[in-house]
């Protein structure tokens, strides 16, 4: 059967899985998985703030890590993200959508400081640190 010009046929949704689909998150926009660029930008902001504040302690490497950890642990449960996350439009929440609570930021931060768990991620772009804590970083 002939169709009129410009007819595209039946449009079907893409069968390609996208990051966050298994978690019930949207493909893009508010509530979708935060992209790598935003995550790295947020990490640089938080680590940069920790570096600057460590100047009061002689820029000691251990002081930088402790300050970075404190920034994460204090701001994740209170602002739903670190200052870097919020600046880059990201929010941390539990995988089921709830508040992260108090212990999840501690577990997530310890694993983030170890670096390796943060650079190993799954198809939902969740690092081992997020999977262990049961959290997901989404666009706000």
């Amino acid at each position: 059967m002939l169709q009129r010009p410009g007819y595209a046929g039946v449009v079907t949704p893409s069968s390609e899985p996208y990051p966050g689909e298994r978690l019930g998150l949207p493909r893009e926009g508010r509530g979708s998985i935060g992209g790598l660029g935003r995550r790295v930008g947020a990490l640089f902001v938080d680590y940069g703030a920790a570096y600057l504040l460590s100047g009061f302690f002689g820029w000691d490497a251990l002081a930088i890590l402790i300050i970075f950890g404190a920034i994460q642990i204090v701001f994740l449960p209170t602002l739903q993200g670190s200052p870097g996350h919020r600046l880059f439009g990201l929010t941390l929440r539990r995988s089921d959508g709830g508040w992260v609570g108090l212990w999840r930021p501690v577990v997530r931060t310890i694993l983030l400081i170890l670096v390796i768990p943060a650079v190993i991620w799954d198809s939902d772009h969740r690092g081992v640190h997020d999977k262990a804590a049961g959290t997901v970083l989404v666009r706000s």
Side-chain angles (χ1 to χ4, degrees):
M1 175 175 183
L2 296 175
Q3 300 290 335
R4 62 180 160 72
Y7 179 75
V10 177
V11 178
T12 59
S14 173
S15 62
E16 290 291 317
Y18 60 89
E21 181 177 26
R22 293 183 304 157
L23 301 170
L25 301 175
R27 180 182 294 268
E28 53 191 36
R30 184 181 176 100
S32 65
I33 294 286
L36 182 61
R38 290 175 187 254
R39 292 169 181 255
V40 171
L43 181 65
F44 274 109
V45 167
D46 294 338
Y47 194 81
Y51 180 79
L52 290 175
L53 291 172
S54 73
F56 293 110
F57 305 99
W59 288 281
D60 182 55
L62 183 59
I64 296 170
L65 286 179
I66 291 171
I67 294 169
F68 176 79
I71 289 171
Q72 299 295 309
I73 291 170
V74 168
F75 288 107
L76 291 179
T78 56
L79 294 180
Q80 298 178 331
S82 68
H85 291 151
R86 302 308 292 165
L87 186 65
F88 279 86
L90 298 171
T91 300
L92 186 74
R93 65 180 189 193
R94 282 191 350 214
S95 300
D96 62 7
W99 178 58
V100 294
L102 298 176
W103 69 268
R104 284 180 178 84
V106 174
V107 170
R108 184 181 188 278
T109 301
I110 290 169
L111 293 174
L112 181 62
I113 288 173
L114 293 176
V115 178
I116 298 300
V119 297
I120 300 171
W121 62 83
D122 64 5
S123 61
D124 289 322
H125 295 190
R126 291 175 64 210
V128 173
H129 64 301
D130 275 326
K131 291 182 73 85
T135 58
V136 61
L137 199 55
V138 297
R139 293 176 64 183
S140 53

